Amino acid sequence: QVHLVESGGGLVQAGGSLRLSCAASGSIFSINAMGWYRQAPGKQRELVATITSGGRTNYADSVKGRFTISRDNAKNTVYLQMNSLKPEDTAVYYCNAAIKSSASGYEYDYWGQGTQVTVSS
């Protein structure tokens, strides 16, 4: 069993900052890519940012220059620093990780339960 647990969401005024964390635990042999996605009411889930095990990052155009993704491989944790937040960033943010539970096993995608981020104008 593998679990992803997010924390750090909340309510913030426009222009403010929040830092999300997501810790993976359980039967983990290796973690490949980790990332953050978000889903606003009435919209599809969209990619926010991803980071490979080697530290290569990718961002949605809408968050470039404002959000920073990072990871601590020793802690199996990924972070999302969100600055200059806008009302349109309001969404449930989900953590994602590609994890193998054994050396010979398959890699599976796991998702966290989501954390609400609300940005007021």
Side-chain angles (χ1 to χ4, degrees), residues 64-84:
K64 281 181 181 176
R66 300 188 297 122
F67 291 10
T68 302
I69 189 170
S70 61
R71 65 190 282 174
D72 184 333
N73 291 329
K75 296 181 178 179
N76 293 334
T77 299
V78 62
Y79 306 95
L80 186 68
Q81 177 67 44
M82 304 185 293
N83 298 329
S84 303

Side-chain angles (χ1 to χ4, degrees), residues 42-65:
K43 295 188 177 181
Q44 288 190 331
R45 190 173 297 189
E46 63 177 5
L47 179 147
V48 176
T50 61
I51 184 168
T52 68
S53 57
R56 188 170 62 211
T57 59
N58 179 57
Y59 295 93
D61 288 342
S62 59
V63 307
K64 281 181 181 176

Side-chain angles (χ1 to χ4, degrees), residues 8 10 30 70-71 80 93 104 115 121:
S30 64
S70 61
R71 65 190 282 174
L80 186 68
Y93 283 69
S104 59
T115 185
S121 56

Side-chain angles (χ1 to χ4, degrees), residues 2-109:
V2 173
H3 300 281
L4 300 182
V5 179
E6 299 126 333
S7 60
L11 173 64
V12 65
Q13 287 189 330
S17 298
L18 283 174
R19 188 190 194 213
L20 305 183
S21 300
C22 172
S25 63
S27 180
I28 298 172
F29 174 77
S30 64
I31 304 178
N32 194 355
M34 303 184 81
W36 291 94
Y37 293 72
R38 66 187 181 186
Q39 188 166 18
K43 295 188 177 181
Q44 288 190 331
R45 190 173 297 189
E46 63 177 5
L47 179 147
V48 176
T50 61
I51 184 168
T52 68
S53 57
R56 188 170 62 211
T57 59
N58 179 57
Y59 295 93
D61 288 342
S62 59
V63 307
K64 281 181 181 176
R66 300 188 297 122
F67 291 10
T68 302
I69 189 170
S70 61
R71 65 190 282 174
D72 184 333
N73 291 329
K75 296 181 178 179
N76 293 334
T77 299
V78 62
Y79 306 95
L80 186 68
Q81 177 67 44
M82 304 185 293
N83 298 329
S84 303
L85 282 161
K86 304 175 181 180
E88 51 264 45
D89 294 318
T90 295
V92 177
Y93 283 69
Y94 296 92
C95 171
N96 171 266
I99 296 174
K100 290 180 67 173
S101 293
S102 66
S104 59
Y106 291 104
E107 183 175 278
Y108 292 99
D109 258 359

